[in-house]
Amino acid sequence: MSVARTASVALHGVQPALIDVEADLGNGIPGFLILGLPDASLNEARERIKAAARNTGLPLANRKLTVNLSPATLPKFGSGFDLAIVIAALAADGMLTIPADTIFLAELALDGTLRPVAGVLPAVRFAVHNGYRHVFVAAANEAEARLVPGVRITGAQHLGQVLVMCGAPPESIRTYLRHQRPERVELPDESEVSQDLNLVNGQYEAKLALEIAAAGGHHLIMVGPAGAGKTLLARCLPGILPPLDVADSLEATAIDSITRGGQGGITKLQNTAPFIAPHHTASSAALLGGGSRNIRPGAITRAHAGILFLDEATEFRAGVLDALRQPVEEGHINLARASGHQQLPARFQLILAANPCPCGRNFGSGTGCTCTPNARRRYFSKLSGPLLDRIDLQVKMNALTGQQLLGREAAESSATVRTRVLAARHLATARLEPWGLNCNARLSSKILRHELQYPMATQRALELIGESHEISARGLDRMLRVAWTIADQQQHSAPTVDDLDGALHFRQNLDPR
C-alpha cells in the first residue's frame, strides 16, 4: 500500500485543530508536494524532511510523494508537522508501522534532531480530548507534554529513536545525539519580579485600593506625579493575589506555551497570575492580537487570568485604549479577518497608571504645573469616559513628602496584606459557589440585583446614590461589586452603608481641570 496516515495538531490563535497527515507514493517524475494551504515555513519542511531522513539512514523513496494536510481548507502554519510528515512518508513506502491513536509534534533539524515547537500543552490536551493516547514530542517538550494526564508521552532527541519505535530496523538507523548543552539558568528580570509592599512608604489610600483590587479582582487606575509610586504599587499586585485555580492555571500555561515560540522549558503549571506590561508604543495588533492569515494572541490574551498593566496610560494611542472596552467587559476579544474569525480569551485585571498632565506636576495645589487647561484636558482625554466607567477603583496620588520618603516607620509587607486578601477571597468564594464564581468582579448584573440580599438601609442608600450622583448603570454595578469586596474585608455578611460609601469614594472624578 502506497498511502499512509498520521496525525498532528494545528493551532489557530489559541484554538487547536486535529490534522490528518496523508502521504501517497505514486509513479511519475520524482518530487515532493505538500497540499492543504501550507505557509512558507511548512513548505520548507520538504527540504528539512528529506535531509533528516537521509542522514538518519532511511532516505525517502525517489518517487512522486504527495502529502495532504486535512482538512485542506484550514490554513496550516509552522514547523510542528515535520515529524508527522516524515513518519507518514516512510510508512507509505512500507518501511514503518504507525502506532494507533498517536500524535506526532516536533520540528526536524537537517541531521534528524527533534526540536521543540510552540503550543504543545494545548495540542496534547486537545489530542487527549479527541481520543488519542500516545504523543511523540521533542525531548525539550516532554516535561510540558507530561503536564496533561491520561496520555502516554514519548520524548525523543532524534528522528532515529522514533523510527526504531515505529518498527524500523535498528541496524540501518544512524542516530547522532548532539552533546547536550549545559542547562541555562535564566535569572529573572528584576523589573518583572513582584515587588514587596514594604518598599512603598506612605500612599495609604493607594495601598488600600490595591488591596481591594486584589481581594475582588477589580480594575484600578492610579493618577499621580512621576515618582509617587504608581509603577511600584502595580508590580506589588502579583505578590498579594491568591494562586491560580486549576482551570486558570491550565489556561495561562497553555497560552504561555503558544506565545513562547517553541523555546521549550515549560516544566510545571503556572500558579501565579501573569503580569504583562506592554510599552506605550505598542500597536493595536500587539496589544489586542491580530494578523492577516495566522491570528496571533496579543498582550491582553497573554494576560488572561492575570494582570495587564499599562504604565503611562495616557501615552498610549486613544484608539488602542478604547479597543480594550469590549475585552474588559466580556473577558474575550473577537478578531474578524477576511480569512476567518477567532475568539481569543482575555479575562484580565486592568491596572492603569498615568500622570495628571504632560509636565506631571498637576497635583496638590497645582502651583508647579506649567500646562494650560487645554493641554491638561487634551492629555487626559485619551482615557475616554466609557473606558473610565469600566474601571472599578480610581485613585489620585500626591507626591511623597520628605518625611514619608525617608521615614523609618515599617510598612506592611506583601505577605501580611496577602493574608487578608486570601481571607476576603475565601468569603467571596463560599458565597458565590452556587454560581461557580470565585471573585466579586465576575458577578453579573442579574446576580447583583436579583440574587444577592441587601439590608434595607443599604438599599435606600443605593437608591440615593443612583439619584444624586451621575453614575451610569454600569458604574453602579461596578460600585456595588466593590462594596461586596469591602464587606468581605470587613467580614460583613452583606454591604453596609459604610461599605457603599467606601466604594463610592473610589469612583472619583479624574478630570484634570
Side-chain angles (χ1 to χ4, degrees):
M1 183 177 180
S2 61
V3 177
R5 290 181 177 86
T6 57
S8 190
V9 176
L11 290 170
H12 284 259
V14 297
Q15 299 299 322
L18 193 64
I19 302 298
D20 287 326
V21 181
E22 305 168 317
D24 173 74
L25 279 175
N27 297 321
I29 299 175
F32 190 165
L33 181 64
I34 298 179
L35 307 175
L37 297 182
D39 70 338
S41 61
L42 184 49
N43 261 322
E44 292 172 353
R46 294 175 297 179
E47 302 306 319
R48 291 195 299 270
I49 289 168
K50 286 191 290 186
R54 182 178 64 253
N55 292 326
T56 306
L58 285 184
L60 299 182
N62 191 27
R63 297 168 60 185
K64 183 180 180 180
L65 173 61
T66 304
V67 172
N68 181 48
L69 306 178
S70 179
T73 56
L74 186 70
K76 319 297 186 309
F77 307 97
S79 57
F81 303 99
D82 290 6
L83 183 58
I85 292 174
V86 71
I87 296 297
L90 293 173
D93 198 21
M95 306 175 74
L96 300 177
T97 301
I98 301 174
D101 299 331
T102 302
I103 293 286
F104 297 89
L105 293 167
E107 178 186 330
L108 286 174
L110 297 183
D111 62 355
T113 302
L114 298 188
R115 290 175 172 165
V117 295
V120 164
L121 177 61
V124 174
R125 288 179 64 195
F126 185 76
V128 173
H129 180 72
N130 283 272
Y132 288 86
R133 293 294 176 261
H134 190 192
V135 180
F136 281 93
V137 296
N141 282 139
E142 183 176 0
E144 178 183 345
R146 291 189 183 278
L147 296 175
V148 181
V151 62
R152 177 187 169 198
I153 301 297
T154 300
Q157 294 177 291
H158 194 273
L159 173 61
Q161 297 170 319
V162 180
L163 297 182
V164 170
M165 284 183 273
C166 291
E171 62 275 7
S172 62
I173 299 299
R174 297 193 300 269
T175 301
Y176 298 107
L177 297 180
R178 300 178 181 179
H179 293 293
Q180 295 299 307
R181 297 177 181 176
E183 185 175 352
R184 183 175 58 184
V185 178
E186 296 185 0
L187 296 176
D189 182 0
E190 185 177 350
S191 64
E192 297 298 328
V193 175
S194 175
Q195 301 288 344
D196 198 288
L197 277 170
N198 59 18
L199 299 174
V200 184
N201 292 344
Q203 304 297 7
Y204 300 110
E205 184 176 357
K207 286 182 180 179
L208 175 59
L210 192 74
E211 182 177 343
I212 295 172
H218 304 291
H219 307 304
L220 167 67
I221 180 171
M222 295 174 284
V223 178
K230 305 184 297 294
T231 302
L232 181 57
L233 279 169
R235 294 195 180 279
C236 290
L237 182 56
I240 63 176
L241 284 173
L244 299 179
D245 59 27
V246 175
D248 285 344
S249 180
L250 278 169
E251 289 184 353
T253 310
I255 292 170
D256 184 40
S257 173
I258 293 169
T259 57
R260 189 175 284 244
Q263 300 175 18
I266 296 178
T267 59
K268 61 182 180 179
L269 293 178
Q270 185 170 342
N271 61 358
T272 57
F275 186 88
I276 306 298
H279 193 260
H280 62 259
T281 56
S283 65
S284 177
L287 192 66
L288 307 175
S292 56
R293 296 182 68 226
N294 184 20
I295 295 178
R296 298 287 297 170
I300 64 173
T301 298
R302 291 190 289 121
H304 179 69
I307 302 156
L308 179 68
F309 174 47
L310 302 186
D311 201 3
E312 305 296 345
T314 47
E315 298 294 341
F316 283 79
R317 286 181 292 176
V320 172
L321 291 173
D322 280 335
L324 294 174
R325 284 149 57 176
Q326 182 212 356
V328 162
E329 197 74 23
E330 300 179 1
H332 62 262
I333 184 167
N334 295 303
L335 295 177
R337 299 292 184 270
S339 59
H341 171 272
Q342 282 286 330
Q343 184 180 96
L344 302 181
R347 178 174 44 77
F348 54 85
Q349 193 170 352
L350 180 61
I351 307 297
L352 304 175
N355 291 328
C357 64
C359 77
R361 294 192 291 269
N362 183 29
F363 62 91
S365 62
T367 54
C369 179
T370 59
C371 305
T372 64
N374 283 338
R376 289 196 292 267
R377 282 194 294 268
R378 189 163 54 248
Y379 180 77
F380 212 77
S381 65
K382 290 186 179 180
L383 299 175
S384 65
L387 177 62
L388 289 176
D389 198 38
R390 289 165 166 83
I391 307 300
D392 308 306
L393 302 163
Q394 303 174 5
V395 180
K396 284 184 178 179
M397 299 170 61
N398 287 323
L400 292 172
T401 64
Q403 183 179 4
Q404 289 174 325
L405 188 60
L406 301 177
R408 296 182 178 274
E409 181 182 355
E412 281 190 314
S413 67
S414 291
T416 301
V417 176
R418 189 172 189 264
T419 301
R420 297 199 296 266
V421 168
L422 292 176
R425 282 282 184 119
H426 179 74
L427 289 175
T429 301
R431 181 179 64 254
L432 302 177
E433 185 178 5
W435 301 283
L437 304 175
N438 60 6
C439 69
N440 294 316
R442 300 186 192 178
L443 281 167
S444 67
S445 297
K446 179 183 177 183
I447 297 174
L448 273 173
R449 299 178 185 180
H450 303 294
E451 304 289 342
L452 297 177
Q453 302 297 320
Y454 302 91
M456 187 62 66
T458 302
Q459 291 183 9
R460 287 198 297 267
L462 193 59
E463 292 172 0
L464 288 175
I465 290 173
E467 294 173 359
S468 58
H469 293 78
E470 294 182 358
I471 299 180
S472 67
R474 179 191 293 112
L476 205 61
D477 282 351
R478 290 192 173 277
M479 188 193 71
L480 199 50
R481 294 185 185 107
V482 173
W484 273 106
T485 300
I486 296 175
D488 290 334
Q489 288 181 310
Q490 301 298 322
Q491 297 187 344
H492 297 156
S493 59
T496 64
V497 175
D498 288 340
D499 297 332
L500 277 180
D501 288 341
L504 179 62
H505 172 74
F506 283 111
R507 291 197 67 84
Q508 296 178 8
N509 179 16
L510 293 180
D511 192 335
R513 288 176 295 180

